[in-house]
Amino acid sequence: MRKNLIVGNWKMHGSHAANAELLAGITAARPFGCDVAVCVPFPYLSEAAVALAGSDVRWGAQDCSAHAQGAYTGEVSVGMLSEFGCRYVIVGHSERRQYHAESDQLVADKAKAALAKGITPIVCVGETLAQREAGETEAVVKRQLSAVIHTLAHCAGEMVVAYEPVWAIGTGKVATPEQAQAVHALLRAQLKAATPHADAMQILYGGSMKPDNAVSLLAQADIDGGLIGGAALKAPDFVAICRAAG
Ligand code: 13P
């Protein structure tokens, strides 16, 4: 039986005051019956680590460099993240693929770099609206995942996968539970062909997940949690989703 994982992706939101209030609201609502993590902007990682010390709420970053070190201005290495005790790193979010032209191979290299430092990559895949309407959903998510599976090889079972249909991110247009489950089942089948650990792997859904739709999404056989954007910025909403997943 897989445990659900709920991850808050704060994106480029936050301030000292807002973060303290949000993290206090989350930790005060524990215990949750699922795994819970927050992925915060780089400058706030260490204060999140301090605020969450002693709690079972985990924390992570929203991106990392594929390089170990060197002349890469503005980048943050997985070695730096691991020094702080970072547990997760989101890689291949559609906003990075879109605005930073990240390729499938770069995403795969980032995932590999993270695992090498003991950080679990949360690998995002998902189709745009145009791709869905053109009937390309399966081909797109399979291509995105296949690059990572190939690069991670025997370690593929150690990642977390997140299916985030681009058309559902920040739009309020959530995938129906059936639409999401259909893609999750495809991803699980692809993982099964690559690793003996596929049945134990967490595949998260992301895209306008809110307290009022979380229960029906999480009830699906292959949906093992959520990657939450907007609703992760309000403690009561995030806590309600964690409770739905517990
Ligand atoms: P929203 O929950 O705001 O749609 O964002 C989803 C997301 O992109 C999480 O990574």
Side-chain angles (χ1 to χ4, degrees), residues 5-209:
L5 167 64
I6 300 296
V7 180
N9 174 10
W10 292 5
K11 308 194 179 184
M12 199 172 70
H13 295 286
S15 66
H16 286 307
N19 303 346
E21 190 182 332
L22 182 48
L23 293 173
I26 295 168
T27 50
R30 295 168 44 242
F32 302 113
C34 62
D35 296 333
V36 175
V38 288
C39 289
V40 312
F42 288 129
Y44 299 126
L45 285 175
S46 54
E47 74 183 32
V50 169
L52 296 172
S55 92
D56 53 2
V57 176
R58 304 160 177 181
W59 58 272
Q62 300 172 12
D63 184 36
C64 64
S65 175
H67 303 287
Q69 61 175 5
Y72 301 103
T73 302
E75 295 224 55
V76 174
S77 75
V78 286
M80 296 170 186
L81 294 173
S82 71
E83 274 202 317
F84 288 89
C86 180
R87 175 73 187 255
Y88 294 105
V89 63
I90 298 170
V91 296
H93 193 283
S94 62
E95 289 150 14
R96 298 222 44 103
R97 292 180 190 263
Q98 186 183 349
Y99 305 136
H100 301 270
E102 293 198 1
S103 66
D104 294 337
Q105 190 55 51
L106 178 61
V107 172
D109 291 342
K110 289 182 174 192
K112 186 174 181 182
L115 275 182
K117 285 288 176 185
I119 298 174
T120 302
I122 300 175
V123 177
C124 301
V125 300
E127 82 286 4
T128 63
L129 184 59
Q131 289 166 333
R132 173 162 283 264
E133 288 176 349
E136 293 168 4
T137 299
E138 178 170 351
V140 169
V141 299
K142 277 192 170 170
R143 187 201 73 223
Q144 292 172 333
L145 187 59
S146 137
V148 186
I149 286 175
H150 187 76
T151 298
L152 297 188
H154 65 279
C155 298
E158 293 170 40
M159 68 176 147
V160 169
V161 175
Y163 169 54
E164 296 208 315
V166 179
W167 48 271
I169 295 176
T171 58
K173 279 187 206 149
V174 64
T176 65
E178 295 72 24
Q179 281 174 324
Q181 166 58 25
V183 177
H184 281 234
L186 285 173
L187 296 173
R188 179 97 52 205
Q190 191 179 356
L191 291 166
K192 273 188 185 160
T195 165
H197 306 296
D199 278 328
M201 290 176 69
Q202 290 164 318
I203 307 181
L204 315 184
Y205 168 81
S208 298
M209 193 186 263

